[in-house]
Amino acid sequence: AQSVTQPDIHITVSEGASLELRCNYSYGATPYLFWYVQSPGQGLQLLLKYFSGDTLVQGIKGFEAEFKRSQSSFNLRKPSVHWSDAAEYFCAVGASVTTGNQFYFGTGTSLTVIP
Amino acid sequence: GAGVSQSPRYKVTKRGQDVALRCDPISGHVSLYWYRQALGQGPEFLTYFNYEAQQDKSGLPNDRFSAERPEGSISTLTIQRTEQRDSAMYRCASTLLNRGAEAFFGQGTRLTVV
């Protein structure tokens, strides 16, 4: 069965510190992987995506993620966190011939940024 | 419009009433998805359409939930005889007809059943 696990429910980091949000997936085929951010009162915004090719993908707002097939992981990173990065972050795996075009989401990681 | 539009943004209804939630996808996006997001959880799949055809409704929790997309554009998610447990954020997303395409999400409809 397809699933996404985000082990950290909540993370607190200091502004300027580095950030890594973990995501592990279970998927029967080649995964299409995404990170979305949800700011308060906003919809889900795509940060970055991985379909194939280079396993290190760059996204918006200075985020990057690395696909590691051997670890079934797609962790999100940012070298220096800004206060405006405080939000809920969702990892998702999507779409295959066998499962239709569903997207499976993790339960999210809430990020707090302290001055 | 430029993005996925959902209406209403907020809906408060009494238990037992029917509600209809609307989604207007991005122009040209033929795949449309409905998700439900409970507080503190990630979005959970309900159903999706390619054009006007409902492809998968396995995520609909029971027969009180239904969805349609009669002309392959705007979609309506209907919940009959609402219950308090139906309270959640209902999100709509649309994509191109392409396996693995990214989904663009609307801002959602916050449904509260009292």
Side-chain angles (χ1 to χ4, degrees), chain B:
Chain B
V4 178
S5 177
Q6 291 187 246
S7 61
R9 289 287 309 279
Y10 303 92
K11 178 70 177 178
V12 180
T13 190
K14 290 184 177 180
R15 189 174 49 188
Q17 296 293 306
D18 298 349
V19 295
L21 312 181
R22 173 188 164 119
C23 173
D24 193 350
I26 292 173
S27 178
H29 280 191
V30 299
S31 295
L32 183 148
Y33 309 79
W34 283 100
Y35 286 84
R36 180 169 68 173
Q37 186 174 5
L39 201 61
Q41 300 294 315
E44 291 184 315
F45 171 80
L46 294 176
T47 184
Y48 89 96
F49 296 81
N50 284 341
Y51 301 98
E52 73 284 356
Q54 192 170 21
Q55 300 293 316
D56 184 349
K57 55 182 181 179
S58 62
L60 296 176
N62 52 61
D63 60 8
R64 294 186 297 105
F65 286 74
S66 62
E68 62 175 9
R69 194 186 184 197
E71 297 179 0
S73 179
I74 292 170
S75 177
T76 302
L77 177 70
T78 301
I79 309 173
Q80 295 179 310
R81 307 179 302 281
T82 52
E83 301 177 5
Q84 284 190 318
R85 59 179 172 158
D86 300 333
S87 296
M89 176 73 82
Y90 289 83
R91 295 197 183 274
C92 175
S94 69
T95 76
L96 299 169
L97 183 64
N98 182 21
R99 183 160 56 101
E102 67 187 81
F104 292 84
F105 283 82
Q107 290 189 294
T109 294
R110 170 71 67 186
L111 175 66
T112 303
V113 182
V114 298

Side-chain angles (χ1 to χ4, degrees), chain A residues 34-57:
Chain A
F34 307 83
W35 274 99
Y36 284 85
V37 61
Q38 179 178 297
S39 299
Q42 301 297 313
L44 289 163
Q45 181 184 19
L46 181 71
L47 283 177
L48 48 77
K49 60 188 176 184
Y50 171 78
F51 287 175
S52 64
D54 192 347
T55 57
L56 184 64
V57 293

Side-chain angles (χ1 to χ4, degrees), chain A residues 9-21:
Chain A
I9 296 173
H10 186 253
I11 284 182
T12 299
V13 299
S14 298
E15 191 169 15
S18 63
L19 172 70
E20 183 169 28
L21 303 183

